Amino acid sequence: MHTSHTRVTAETVFEIVEPDGTAPVDVRLAYDTTDPYVVTMELEIRSSHHPSTWVLSRAMLAEGLLIPTGLGDINITPATPDYVLLQLGPGTEQASLWMLLPEIEEFLETTYDLLPIGQEEPWPEINHTLERILTAA
């Protein structure tokens, strides 16, 4: 029976685009098998000390490394061979951040090693048991 869950995190630095250049943003990426479709990003601009947490799907993050992807206040676009542009927030209040492609790929690979795509269903044996019960009824 599948009952154990694992959480992986990675710490990295994104660069937020500001009018006079860029500023570092400390980022903690997290993936937990208890919520297998979700990646959480906690961002903290070093001068502010006020973290902001964003939640997006693992599939969206992966897709955004290859093609422009977005849903609501989160948009991800491949920009250069080494960087991906992450845009957070609504319209004119949107923040643009550069993510280093190899670091995001490495984080995603770790999540896939933990729980491959297509195996996100948290407890497949529950579905099997329910199917057996309903078939017998």
Side-chain angles (χ1 to χ4, degrees), residues 2 12 16-17 32 55 59 62 65 70 91 95-96 98 105 116 121 123 135:
H2 179 78
T12 186
I16 189 167
V17 178
D32 192 320
V55 177
L65 303 183
S96 297
W98 293 109
E105 288 174 328
E121 187 64 38
W123 291 285
T135 303

Side-chain angles (χ1 to χ4, degrees), residues 25-26 28 41-45 48-54:
V25 176
D26 294 320
R28 171 175 273 162
M41 291 187 302
E42 184 178 289
L43 301 101
E44 185 174 334
I45 297 173
S48 77
H49 303 292
H50 296 288
S52 172
T53 301
W54 290 81

Side-chain angles (χ1 to χ4, degrees), residues 56-79:
L56 65 152
S57 80
R58 178 171 74 158
M60 181 179 163
L61 180 59
E63 185 176 303
L65 303 183
L66 304 172
I67 61 172
T69 301
L71 184 62
D73 292 345
I74 301 173
N75 294 283
I76 305 168
T77 306

Side-chain angles (χ1 to χ4, degrees), residues 1-5 122-123 125:
M1 185 169 181
H2 179 78
T3 58
S4 66
H5 294 285
W123 291 285
E125 55 279 334

Side-chain angles (χ1 to χ4, degrees), residues 106-124:
E106 183 178 330
F107 172 75
L108 285 170
E109 278 301 317
T110 302
T111 72
Y112 298 146
D113 290 345
L114 191 61
L115 189 62
I117 295 173
Q119 295 183 14
E120 292 93 352
E121 187 64 38
W123 291 285

Side-chain angles (χ1 to χ4, degrees), residues 6 66 71 80 83 91 118 123 132:
T6 306
L66 304 172
L71 184 62
T80 72
Y83 288 92
W123 291 285
R132 284 191 354 217

Side-chain angles (χ1 to χ4, degrees), residues 73-100:
D73 292 345
I74 301 173
N75 294 283
I76 305 168
T77 306
T80 72
D82 295 323
Y83 288 92
V84 176
L85 182 62
L86 171 66
Q87 295 175 303
L88 300 172
T92 59
E93 298 176 28
Q94 196 170 63
S96 297
L97 300 112
W98 293 109
M99 301 187 297
L100 196 56

